[in-house]
Amino acid sequence: MKAVVLITGASSGIGSALAKVFAAHGHELALVARRQDRLEALADEIAATGRPQPTVFTADLERREAASIIAAELSSQGLEPAFVVNNAGFGLRGEAAALPRDEQLAMIDVDVRALTELSLMFVDSLARHRGGILNVASVAAFLPGPGMAVYYASKAYVLSFSEALHRELAERGVRVTALCPGPVPTEFQARAGGMASNAAMRALELSAERVAQIGYDAFMAGKRVAIAGIGNRLAVSLMRLVPNALILRLADQRPRGAGGAQ
């Protein structure tokens, strides 16, 4: 079986940037997303740099059987993961009681359930290759998020789960890192229905390419958590000193006049 890096949500944004970083460091890739055309274009772009052509296949991680389909596809092509990069995810902006319940449950399916299943499914393979798991969380993991309640909670789960796995799997030689970016200008914001933006948030923005490089370097160094960018690291440190009542007001993503920050 050939060892590959399995990357979900690879068709755009941070996922695409991570694929390019892993490829640049000599890793062979298996790329997963919903959009076949985007995956094929990315694979061709990587191959044009002289790297091996990545394997691509589509999967919708909202479906309960998606992880099993991914495993079967890998096996049928003689591939097994040395590294798993769980990047796929989405958010929705609005009050939890007003947003469609099925869409919020689909968010949990992608951001939590699929990530958990793919993190655990290939542990034996990861151990054989002394590889690991890179889970893309967010600085949202460190605070509650009125206006994006389920999304923020899902990222808190990813952070907690990843830190625990970092400890549990270390004795098997499997590294686990939670990558926590702050604001990144990608298609994520459009799917979320727009994101609250202000000067402070714009000052914390990093490109997807920069976040990917920070994540890769931290992962290969065996770090437990990688908060991308000095500004975001400072912000997370300050959060620990601020009362939750104030954090709730500052983090409120709801539009003004809808109970959001005034």
Side-chain angles (χ1 to χ4, degrees):
M1 300 286 276
K2 181 188 294 185
V4 294
V5 181
L6 174 65
I7 304 178
T8 68
S11 61
S12 65
I14 295 172
S16 175
L18 281 166
K20 293 173 184 177
V21 171
F22 273 92
H25 286 83
H27 301 277
E28 295 201 33
L29 310 178
L31 307 177
V32 180
R34 294 175 303 152
R35 295 175 292 187
Q36 183 80 17
D37 58 335
R38 292 283 193 94
L39 289 176
E40 290 175 351
L42 174 59
D44 290 343
E45 181 181 350
I46 289 171
T49 68
R51 302 297 178 182
Q53 181 88 17
T55 300
V56 304
F57 46 89
T58 58
D60 184 350
L61 295 182
E62 291 182 22
R63 296 172 57 187
R64 292 275 169 163
E65 66 273 22
S68 296
I69 291 172
I70 290 169
E73 288 278 0
L74 289 170
S75 179
S76 71
Q77 299 190 45
L79 307 175
E80 66 177 9
F83 301 96
V84 172
V85 180
N86 285 304
N87 168 75
F90 70 95
L92 295 171
R93 187 181 180 205
E95 295 192 356
L99 288 170
R101 193 177 313 148
D102 59 343
E103 292 184 19
Q104 295 185 84
L105 294 175
M107 194 193 323
I108 294 172
D109 281 336
V110 176
D111 296 8
V112 174
R113 184 192 50 75
L115 176 143
T116 302
E117 190 168 6
L118 289 170
S119 293
L120 301 177
M121 179 170 278
F122 302 108
V123 169
D124 289 343
S125 171
L126 305 182
R128 277 195 300 275
H129 295 284
R130 308 290 289 183
I133 303 163
L134 176 60
N135 286 333
V136 179
S138 168
V139 294
F142 296 94
L143 68 163
M148 294 188 75
V150 174
Y151 174 76
Y152 275 56
S154 75
K155 292 305 181 180
Y157 172 90
V158 172
L159 176 61
S160 176
F161 175 65
S162 301
E163 288 197 88
L165 280 190
H166 176 92
R167 174 74 175 179
E168 290 184 3
L169 298 180
E171 63 188 31
R172 299 188 62 179
V174 177
R175 74 199 76 171
V176 181
T177 299
L179 172 59
C180 299
V184 179
T186 67
E187 293 178 1
F188 174 92
Q189 285 85 352
R191 185 173 186 187
M195 300 282 286
S197 180
N198 53 45
M201 288 186 68
R202 288 191 291 272
L204 297 175
E205 279 189 358
L206 293 177
S207 69
E209 291 73 22
R210 181 62 184 142
V211 169
Q213 189 64 60
I214 290 169
Y216 179 87
D217 291 343
F219 183 45
M220 290 303 164
K223 293 186 178 179
R224 186 181 74 254
V225 178
I227 300 171
I230 294 173
N232 288 308
R233 291 199 296 274
L234 288 172
V236 169
S237 296
L238 288 172
M239 287 176 203
R240 298 188 173 108
L241 304 176
V242 177
N244 258 18
L246 180 55
I247 287 288
L248 282 163
R249 285 181 59 83
L250 294 173
D252 201 324
Q253 289 281 325
R254 293 174 297 169
R256 294 177 186 274
Q262 301 299 312

